[in-house]
Amino acid sequence: MKVALAADHGGLHLKEEIKKLLTSMQITFEDFGCNCETSVDYPDYALPVAEKVASGEFDRGILVCGTGIGMSIAANKVRGIRCALVHDTFSAKATREHNDTNMLAMGERVIGPGLALDIVKIWLGTEFEGGRHENRVKKVMDIEAKYSGVK
Ligand code: RB5
């Protein structure tokens, strides 16, 4: 599995913790920034990660900002992305099983690093259940196709 990750200035420290975790799990990753404490714009960092996941170059993407909200909104604008904003372990598991999410967003100002790293582990380690969820995910992607003008 290859993971792309990025953060804005509000998620920088948690991103570094996630990188340590991925290294310890022997998961290949690439860091798409930011690497500075100065204020940056989260869409500039959400977009390259979302594009890498949408293109298939990376299997999963992880984004961190202050709340995770801006990053998740931006990522979900990219065709093919299903990005979940997650701050609890139940949702981390459920969003893989039910929504087949390919991106995860979290807020460094919302949760501590212990919980965040548990969320990452669960989210990376949980498979999509398929079955009745298959058609629901397809319906979501049909909405995206309808509003992007591509059938
Ligand atoms: C930056 O101050 C903050 O707005 C950003 O990290 C994020 O929370 C946006 O949704």
Side-chain angles (χ1 to χ4, degrees), residues 121-139:
K121 275 185 259 181
I122 291 167
W123 184 76
L124 289 175
T126 305
E127 293 299 320
F128 179 46
E129 262 181 26
R132 70 187 190 282
H133 302 295
E134 198 97 47
N135 201 40
R136 294 168 186 169
V137 171
K138 185 185 171 300
K139 285 185 177 184

Side-chain angles (χ1 to χ4, degrees), residues 103-118:
M103 291 190 60
L104 171 70
M106 293 181 292
E108 182 181 314
R109 296 172 186 160
V110 181
I111 52 172
L115 176 55
L117 296 184
D118 278 353

Side-chain angles (χ1 to χ4, degrees), residues 8-10 42 65-71 109:
D8 72 356
H9 56 288
Y42 58 82
C65 62
T67 60
I69 297 170
M71 285 290 204
R109 296 172 186 160

Side-chain angles (χ1 to χ4, degrees), residues 2-6 49-50 53 58-63 81 83 102-105 123-124:
K2 277 177 72 181
V3 176
L5 74 162
V49 171
V53 174
F58 285 77
D59 304 296
R60 303 277 190 90
I62 300 176
L63 298 170
I81 294 303
C83 180
N102 49 16
M103 291 190 60
L104 171 70
W123 184 76
L124 289 175

Side-chain angles (χ1 to χ4, degrees), residues 10 13 21-22 24 26 33 35 43 46 53-54 63 71 84 87 92 95 97 105 108 115 118-119 133 137:
H13 300 107
L21 173 69
L22 296 177
S24 76
Q26 298 183 309
N35 291 305
V53 174
L63 298 170
M71 285 290 204
H87 289 131
T95 194
E97 289 175 341
E108 182 181 314
L115 176 55
D118 278 353
I119 288 168
H133 302 295
V137 171

